[in-house]
Amino acid sequence: MKFFVDTADVDAIRELHDLGMVDGVTTNPSLILKSGRDILEVTKEICSIVEGPVSAEVVAVDADAMIAEGRKLAGIAENIAVKVPLTWAGLKACKVLTDEGRMVNVTLCFSANQALLAAKAGATFISPFIGRLDDMNIDGLELISDIRIIYDNYGFETQILAASIRSANHMSEAAKIGADVATAPPNVIKAMAGHPLTDKGLAQFLKDWEKTGQKIL
Ligand code: G3P
């Protein structure tokens, strides 16, 4: 499973990238707001760090304006994936932009039917939002499972990009289901390294090592 980082924080992206943990980046208007930076400028900087797809989201709501915004965003760098919402207008924009050879990430997906439409419109990525479904007491991971079955049934090449990931558990479950990509905030990716038995075991090893009186360096 590829790891995308769901942030517009360049320092956090750089840190994870140096560890080989970043296959791509996703941003959205809320993350741009959080960064406090200009969308074109920050997206360009992210694209200079990351080789893989960097999603930049349109904010227009009608298809023609989405297409125009998408073309402008795609002009930032070769590795831009234009992010459009899963509305009828977004699907139209997806079809036009993919026909032009651009990567498109269809976002705000909350149902298997929406994912089916995005694949028919040629989306490069479909972004089902796990956490926001969980927030409503609907199993977000079940949606990832359903989309996996549907895409595999018909050989759709659209990649399932599990989004709105809130916990390390979401990451391993998405990987078990076979999501192609998961996008998570930096703190969730870091939380994947944590285990209380690791901490406990390390504390014991260090205590015993101290007693040997030895040094490695
Ligand atoms: O980038 C979209 C998505 O990952 C948003 O996550 O936590 O705001 O639901 P969240």
Side-chain angles (χ1 to χ4, degrees):
M1 185 172 72
K2 283 176 262 182
F3 281 20
F4 286 5
V5 194
D6 202 24
T7 187
D9 177 340
V10 285
D11 292 334
I13 292 168
R14 213 172 257 118
E15 186 193 347
L16 288 166
H17 182 262
D18 289 349
L19 269 96
M21 302 290 177
V22 181
D23 299 306
V25 169
T26 50
T27 64
N28 61 38
S30 306
L31 293 171
I32 296 295
L33 173 68
K34 202 170 161 192
S35 76
R37 296 187 55 188
D38 172 77
I39 183 172
L40 300 177
E41 180 206 286
V42 72
T43 307
K44 192 170 181 181
E45 189 174 346
I46 294 169
C47 289
S48 73
I49 302 167
V50 176
E51 304 78 25
V54 173
S55 289
E57 188 160 343
V58 302
V59 289
V61 289
D62 73 273
D64 287 343
M66 278 187 204
I67 293 162
E69 286 183 357
R71 287 177 182 146
K72 180 161 184 184
L73 292 171
I76 296 172
E78 288 272 308
N79 53 335
I80 288 288
V82 179
K83 210 170 173 189
V84 300
L86 211 155
T87 56
W88 200 248
L91 292 169
K92 282 187 194 168
C94 172
K95 179 77 175 93
V96 171
L97 292 167
T98 51
D99 284 351
E100 290 175 355
R102 306 180 200 281
M103 289 189 283
V104 176
N105 177 358
V106 181
T107 189
L108 290 166
C109 169
F110 294 96
S111 78
N113 273 333
Q114 288 182 316
L116 188 48
L117 289 174
K120 297 291 281 182
T124 318
F125 302 103
I126 181 69
S127 290
F129 277 30
I130 302 177
R132 292 190 196 187
L133 282 170
D134 286 356
D135 290 346
M136 295 185 68
N137 224 6
I138 298 168
D139 187 352
L141 286 161
E142 198 177 315
L143 174 59
I144 305 290
S145 249
D146 289 346
I147 300 171
R148 182 74 284 156
I149 292 166
I150 291 168
Y151 281 9
D152 288 349
N153 278 348
Y154 300 100
F156 286 119
E157 286 176 9
T158 299
Q159 296 181 50
I160 302 173
L161 195 172
S164 185
I165 283 192
R166 305 274 174 77
S167 66
N169 189 49
H170 275 158
M171 290 295 276
S172 49
E173 289 302 318
K176 277 156 68 180
I177 292 164
D180 301 286
V181 191
T183 190
N187 64 312
V188 170
I189 294 176
K190 286 186 177 178
M192 292 168 74
H195 198 289
L197 289 178
T198 305
D199 298 341
K200 193 178 166 197
L202 182 59
Q204 184 64 50
F205 286 158
L206 293 179
K207 209 167 141 198
D208 291 344
W209 180 249
E210 185 76 30
K211 287 182 200 159
T212 70
Q214 299 179 44
K215 280 192 169 20
I216 294 175
L217 288 176

